[in-house]
Amino acid sequence: MTENSQAQPAANPELPTQYAPAEVEGKLYERWVERGYFDADEKSGKPPYTIVIPPPNVTGSLHLGHAFEHTLIDALTRRKRMQGYETLWQPGMDHAGIATQNVVERELAKEGKSRHDLGREAFVERVWQWKEESGGQISGQMRRLGDGVAWSRERFTMDEGLSAAVQTIFKRLFDDGLIYRAERIINWCPRCLTAISDIEVEYQDDDGELVSIKYGDGDESLVVATTRAETMLGDTAVAVHPDDARYTHLIGKRIKLPLTDRTIPVVADTHVDPEFGTGAVKVTPAHDPNDFEIGRRHDLPNVTVMDERAVITTPGPFQGLDRYEARSAIVAALRADGRIVAEKRPYVHSVGHCSRCKTTVEPRLSLQWWVKVATLAKAAGDAVRDGRVTIHPKEMESRYFAWIDNLNDWNISRQLWWGHRIPVWHGPDGETVCVGPDDEPPTGEGWHQDTDVLDTWFSSGLWPFSTLGWPEQTPSLEKFYPNSVLVTGYDILFFWVARMMLFGLYAMDGTPPFHTIALHGMVRDQFGKKMSKSFGNAVNPMDWMDKYGADAVRFTLARGANPGVDVPIGEDWVQGSRNFANKVWNATRFAMMNGATVEGPLPDASEMSATDRWILSRLNETVAQVDALYEDYQFSKLSDALFHFAWDEVFDWYVELSKTTFFAGGEQAKVSSRVLGEVLDVTLRLLHPVVPFVTETLWTTLTGKESVVVADWPADSGFRDKAAEREIEHVQQVVTEVRRFRADQGLQPGQKVPGRLDLSATPLAAHEAAIRQLLRLQEEGEAFQATATLPVAGVTVALDLSGTIDVAAERKRLTKDKDAAVKERQQATAKLGNEAFLAKAPDNVVDKIRGRLAKAEADIERITAQLAALPES
């Protein structure tokens, strides 16, 4: 802990009787920003601590997942700032190619226009206009949450500087032979009209149909099964396994393709599983990735039968039909021709959908740009294997390796207008020129720039260093790269994290983009269900902040954050966190009204009471515990530790135990007031990274200092007093047991009863006044009758309950409860003594019965003691 000898508290600190978050949060945040607390200075001599924000889409708003992630990052950076680090939390937004283009196209549709009506240049200008006017509302919401980001460094993935970085790395990769253009099967969205990557395809089980179709006639025929009958128009072969005796006589022959005037060959390929279905598969190289590879091996033609909107283009009766209309029409025509051997409906199978618009994805042969990832992916795997990058929690490593070690070449081109345009010019005679940011593009007749734009993940993959000025060797890049830690969800481990690893290691000469990858789970509702507008359980965090304050939302989210594990959350939990903020407010206000101070050094331990020494010992233990948990990214555990220390130990025990000292006044009251001030000072600083607003208000009022944002992080002074801890634990045990007895007798918490304390056999005499206050015990008086006597941990507590309870009724109730417990014990004992039952019952069932037995025995012991303590009726 640090001393506060320089503190200058207000003479008579006053706080409103109630904490009103809405009245303080906005003002406090703007004050923090104006004073530059969140700025990062690359010229300072402080050690750097860098975290980048996972850049939210410019189209987005702050959802609960953002609020969760931002809370964790903000807690880390606020603590490091207090520890003396030059802290950079890098903010910014992603241009979100497909999502943003879709938004603007929908706006145009309301005007009866399409992007083609405007043309490319005017459409892009329209998107920029939308971005300036409507995009980025998330920035204001981040301020509302309390995000301590360096706003002066805010970036956008299509800023001039970031665009130059994109162009630079594209050219380097191109010149190194790691970017190439080729025809491959890609995932195509017929609605977004662009290629999408494998990780942007969501698979789900859909109801479809499986039809078995006879190809050829007589002995020269075979049957294939398909869920996509419309693609048969593009078949260029049927494949069988070379060792399948059923089809050996057909290999190399040609058979007629139904509904067409074409014949296609039967080819032998080991890819075919002879045990699956009929052992014969139709081959459509232009519309299936596996078929494409078979086609390459056998030099088959690629016949494309659908356009970009998934409409049939093959001349004939099906031309102009969309894929689903064509499917029904083709099956009907095959049925009429006697070609359908079997039909199965519904046939449930896994189908890929566009993650943006949920349209069924169409595999399509297309000329695209690709990144050759083999060497890049190996470097990204090695960086984790050799310890340069740590994945937390460690069990997530296997998921990372499973992806990075099997990474296919990355399709980076998108058929959009909004985004970073491919920096390649094509010439009239097939020339290809890649242009860097400082190069002049070729001009002249026939030269034109490639029409595609880059995948959004291409530019966001540069985020850890492009935001710092790369490719220039800037002071910021030198100071703040690599990042200290990346905090992000496990769901984008493959989307974003892997891309940053590929590019960071390549661009920065083998230096990975971050030292640690701290993965968290997804926010779910209180029942563990995924939050979704379609499910009706999505939550707008702004609504909760309006009702309960930002601190309550933040504390709730942090308390649920176990590394790599999904986070259930319900509104009642936010209410509980609001109650905690109110408890901190009220208890601190009470303490300051009763003289809690941070003036002067702490008194010597010899001047303190056991209660003072106990709370300081517990305080230091909590500081050490919280520090260790922060270093392990255990936000849930550190939040719980702070909650229980502040609420239970400081407010419910220390403050209550010290009230009699404060009321008595004198030198001991001065000592305890200084101890209480120290405890509040440190506790508020410990709480600040998670609940910044309420702690700022209270800490500045308590200490008179500028801001807790730039206060020193508490340090463990090493002070421990185990004897004092045992002594106060003894007091707590006495108070807790007697309180339980009072509650069992139906006494109200504030109801006073005459009582006698015998502390002669214990070292607790100094605590008698406090114990009496906590137990609401009046002095005995002349008419005192010990109607109930409780021996608790060496202390004897005698109570006069005459006139306060109906003894006969209470004895009857307790006897009934004891009889039920005895019966429960008998039943559990009988089951556990039955060998036949134990041999068959699952372990969890047996454990449950053992638990019931233990509870029954504890209940019997407790109720027996209560009955013995009752006065004679």
Side-chain angles (χ1 to χ4, degrees):
M1 294 176 294
T2 58
E3 294 184 355
N4 288 277
S5 56
Q6 302 302 312
Q8 296 178 348
N12 293 294
E14 293 184 1
L15 291 166
T17 55
Q18 291 183 324
Y19 177 52
E23 296 178 11
V24 301
E25 291 177 350
K27 296 175 184 177
L28 285 181
Y29 189 84
E30 290 310 312
R31 186 188 307 162
W32 293 336
V33 173
E34 288 168 6
R35 292 179 177 177
Y37 293 156
F38 306 141
D39 293 342
D41 181 6
E42 62 265 15
K43 297 178 183 178
S44 81
K46 299 177 182 179
Y49 186 80
T50 316
I51 298 181
V52 295
I53 189 173
N57 288 353
V58 68
T59 58
S61 60
L62 193 76
H63 57 63
L64 205 56
H66 286 130
F68 170 59
E69 185 168 79
H70 290 200
T71 294
L72 305 186
I73 300 175
D74 197 39
L76 290 173
T77 53
R78 284 179 182 269
R79 172 174 173 262
K80 285 295 183 180
R81 188 178 296 112
M82 295 171 75
Q83 287 182 315
Y85 286 79
E86 191 61 42
T87 302
L88 169 60
W89 183 10
Q90 174 65 55
M93 285 182 289
D94 191 285
H95 66 278
I98 296 177
T100 306
Q101 180 159 319
N102 283 346
V103 168
V104 178
E105 286 196 89
R106 284 196 295 269
E107 293 297 313
L108 283 175
K110 295 176 183 177
E111 303 171 15
K113 298 178 182 178
S114 73
R115 60 179 163 127
H116 300 285
D117 294 323
L118 272 67
R120 182 168 194 144
E121 186 175 336
F123 176 78
V124 171
E125 185 178 334
R126 178 72 176 259
V127 180
W128 275 109
Q129 179 184 341
W130 176 89
K131 186 262 181 185
E132 295 302 323
E133 294 176 355
S134 306
Q137 63 172 309
I138 202 168
S139 295
Q141 295 168 332
M142 288 167 59
R143 293 170 183 266
R144 180 73 191 283
L145 186 65
D147 287 4
V149 300
W151 289 113
S152 62
R153 293 172 174 264
E154 186 175 12
R155 304 305 299 267
F156 180 55
T157 49
M158 286 185 63
D159 283 349
E160 183 177 347
L162 271 64
S163 294
V166 168
Q167 205 170 344
T168 298
I169 200 164
F170 186 100
K171 180 167 175 55
R172 289 188 186 180
L173 289 164
F174 183 91
D175 291 346
D176 286 346
L178 296 176
I179 284 182
Y180 64 95
R181 196 180 190 210
E183 263 198 331
R184 298 282 188 275
I185 292 289
I186 48 90
N187 304 298
W188 181 267
C189 176
R191 183 197 170 282
C192 297
L193 300 180
T194 182
I196 59 176
S197 65
D198 290 344
I199 52 180
E200 292 171 306
V201 179
E202 296 177 347
Y203 287 90
Q204 67 183 47
D205 287 340
D206 287 355
D207 286 345
E209 61 181 352
L210 181 69
V211 293
S212 299
I213 308 167
K214 179 183 177 183
Y215 282 31
D217 295 294
D219 292 338
E220 296 187 353
S221 67
L222 38 67
V223 174
V224 300
T226 182
T227 59
R228 303 170 66 224
E230 68 278 9
T231 64
M232 67 164 292
L233 299 175
D235 286 357
T236 55
V238 173
V240 297
H241 194 278
D243 299 330
D244 192 335
R246 294 171 294 177
Y247 304 118
T248 304
H249 67 292
L250 291 177
I251 295 173
K253 293 187 176 181
R254 301 183 70 87
I255 59 176
K256 188 172 186 304
L257 178 65
L259 305 183
T260 73
D261 57 3
R262 291 195 291 121
T263 61
I264 57 177
V266 177
V267 299
D269 197 285
T270 54
H271 170 77
V272 180
D273 180 1
E275 303 299 323
F276 183 77
T278 64
V281 297
K282 60 192 287 298
V283 181
T284 321
H287 293 278
D288 183 273
N290 293 321
D291 293 3
F292 177 77
E293 295 302 325
I294 293 175
R296 292 178 67 179
R297 287 193 289 272
H298 297 277
D299 198 24
L300 299 174
N302 301 314
V303 177
T304 300
V305 299
M306 279 181 267
D307 67 11
E308 61 183 9
R309 298 183 185 275
V311 172
I312 300 299
T313 56
T314 303
F318 311 112
Q319 187 174 13
L321 298 180
D322 93 339
R323 53 184 164 169
Y324 300 116
E325 294 170 334
R327 182 177 300 172
S328 298
I330 287 172
V331 170
L334 289 167
R335 190 183 300 113
D337 201 28
R339 292 286 173 178
I340 299 295
V341 176
E343 299 178 67
K344 184 177 181 180
R345 295 188 187 87
Y347 178 73
V348 179
H349 61 133
S350 182
V351 177
H353 296 261
C354 173
S355 62
R356 297 288 181 186
C357 67
K358 311 309 177 186
T359 300
T360 299
V361 168
E362 191 65 41
R364 187 168 189 256
L365 185 64
S366 182
L367 184 62
Q368 300 282 342
W369 289 94
W370 304 81
V371 172
K372 191 180 295 183
V373 300
T375 57
L376 302 175
K378 183 181 184 304
D382 291 345
V384 175
R385 287 188 170 95
D386 64 24
R388 281 175 290 155
V389 177
T390 300
I391 294 180
H392 187 88
K394 189 173 179 60
E395 53 265 28
M396 287 287 179
E397 278 189 4
S398 59
R399 297 180 65 171
Y400 175 79
F401 291 134
W403 175 260
I404 209 76
D405 292 346
N406 298 284
L407 200 58
N408 295 319
D409 284 0
W410 174 16
N411 171 19
I412 56 171
S413 47
R414 299 291 180 267
Q415 289 64 55
L416 304 170
W417 287 355
W418 172 245
H420 294 101
R421 197 163 172 182
I422 301 282
V424 169
W425 267 253
H426 303 286
D429 298 318
E431 304 97 328
T432 299
V433 176
C434 183
V435 175
D438 299 322
D439 300 332
E440 288 294 328
T443 58
E445 185 176 352
W447 283 94
H448 66 279
Q449 187 176 359
D450 197 284
T451 56
D452 288 350
V453 300
L454 287 162
D455 178 9
T456 298
W457 299 106
F458 190 96
S459 52
S460 61
L462 314 181
W463 192 248
F465 51 92
S466 64
T467 52
L468 298 173
W470 186 92
E472 301 299 324
Q473 295 304 306
T474 64
S476 288
L477 188 66
E478 183 178 353
K479 176 79 172 182
F480 295 113
Y481 187 92
N483 289 190
S484 306
V485 61
L486 173 73
V487 179
T488 192
Y490 63 70
D491 57 315
I492 59 172
L493 180 61
F494 314 133
F495 285 86
W496 187 45
V497 180
R499 309 306 186 199
M500 288 188 288
M501 288 288 283
L502 298 179
F503 284 160
L505 289 158
Y506 173 78
M508 300 301 293
D509 299 321
T511 302
F514 19 72
H515 297 301
T516 300
I517 302 169
L519 298 172
H520 59 71
M522 310 295 292
V523 178
R524 297 181 177 272
D525 70 14
Q526 61 193 29
F527 306 108
K529 189 175 182 180
K530 180 180 178 181
M531 283 192 175
S532 166
K533 290 181 180 178
S534 60
F535 294 156
N537 63 350
V539 172
N540 182 347
M542 297 297 112
D543 294 340
W544 279 356
M545 282 190 266
D546 287 342
K547 292 177 69 174
Y548 307 111
D551 285 333
V553 174
R554 290 170 61 114
F555 196 64
T556 304
L557 291 166
R559 287 193 78 183
N562 289 298
V565 178
D566 288 346
V567 183
I569 185 172
E571 186 169 358
D572 55 336
W573 303 339
V574 187
Q575 292 174 354
S577 295
R578 186 267 317 272
N579 295 343
F580 175 63
N582 288 342
K583 181 78 170 181
V584 174
W585 179 274
N586 293 333
T588 305
R589 180 174 178 272
F590 169 84
M592 285 191 279
M593 288 173 61
N594 284 275
T597 180
V598 296
E599 289 189 273
L602 274 174
D604 188 78
S606 62
E607 302 175 50
M608 299 179 189
S609 67
T611 307
D612 294 335
R613 297 194 305 275
W614 161 73
I615 197 62
L616 289 176
S617 183
R618 291 295 307 128
L619 177 65
N620 278 285
E621 184 62 41
T622 301
V623 170
Q625 181 184 10
V626 168
D627 272 334
L629 291 170
Y630 261 117
E631 295 303 317
D632 199 34
Y633 305 100
Q634 297 281 355
F635 297 98
S636 177
K637 290 181 179 179
L638 73 88
S639 298
D640 267 344
L642 288 169
F643 175 89
H644 290 296
F645 175 72
W647 191 308
D648 299 343
E649 296 187 278
V650 178
F651 302 141
D652 277 0
W653 283 108
Y654 180 71
V655 170
E656 294 298 321
L657 285 169
S658 301
K659 279 183 178 179
T660 53
T661 301
F662 295 142
F663 295 158
E667 289 303 313
Q668 188 57 56
K670 291 181 181 179
V671 171
S672 293
S673 294
R674 179 63 187 89
V675 170
L676 179 54
E678 180 76 5
V679 171
L680 290 175
D681 168 23
V682 174
T683 301
L684 292 171
R685 283 186 280 148
L686 287 174
L687 283 167
H688 173 72
V690 182
V691 284
F693 294 106
V694 67
T695 51
E696 171 80 341
T697 305
L698 294 173
W699 189 85
T700 53
T701 305
L702 172 70
T703 66
K705 289 187 175 182
E706 179 184 349
S707 174
V708 71
V709 177
V710 290
D712 290 338
W713 180 251
D716 176 8
S717 71
F719 177 81
R720 299 290 191 279
D721 192 326
K722 294 302 179 183
E725 289 192 36
R726 288 192 295 271
E727 186 171 323
I728 300 306
E729 286 170 6
H730 198 171
V731 172
Q732 291 173 325
Q733 186 179 2
V734 172
V735 172
T736 301
E737 288 301 317
V738 177
R739 279 178 171 173
R740 182 179 293 123
F741 175 78
R742 284 175 53 105
D744 288 339
Q745 308 310 312
L747 296 177
Q748 295 301 312
Q751 185 176 352
K752 294 185 177 181
V753 296
R756 177 189 300 152
L757 286 176
D758 181 0
L759 305 173
S760 57
T762 72
L764 303 186
H767 303 286
E768 180 169 356
I771 293 173
R772 281 187 171 276
Q773 171 66 24
L774 291 169
L775 292 177
R776 302 296 188 266
L777 298 183
Q778 297 173 327
E779 294 297 332
E780 301 170 38
E782 295 182 2
F784 180 80
Q785 298 179 37
T787 58
T789 303
L790 287 81
V792 182
V795 174
T796 301
V797 182
L799 303 176
D800 183 354
L801 302 179
S802 58
T804 61
I805 61 172
D806 184 337
V807 176
E810 186 63 18
R811 189 177 296 280
K812 182 177 180 181
R813 182 184 71 81
L814 289 172
T815 301
K816 183 179 179 181
D817 289 348
K818 182 178 179 181
D819 291 343
V822 169
K823 184 177 180 181
E824 176 72 7
R825 180 176 65 181
Q826 291 171 342
Q827 291 176 342
T829 302
K831 284 191 174 182
L832 293 173
N834 185 334
E835 294 297 333
F837 169 78
L838 293 176
K840 295 179 181 179
D843 290 344
N844 64 316
V845 173
V846 175
D847 289 342
K848 187 175 181 180
I849 294 171
R850 286 181 178 140
R852 284 167 48 191
L853 175 60
K855 182 178 183 303
E857 289 176 336
D859 287 345
I860 293 168
E861 182 179 356
R862 175 179 55 82
I863 296 169
T864 299
Q866 290 175 228
L867 285 167
L870 283 176
E872 294 297 326
S873 53

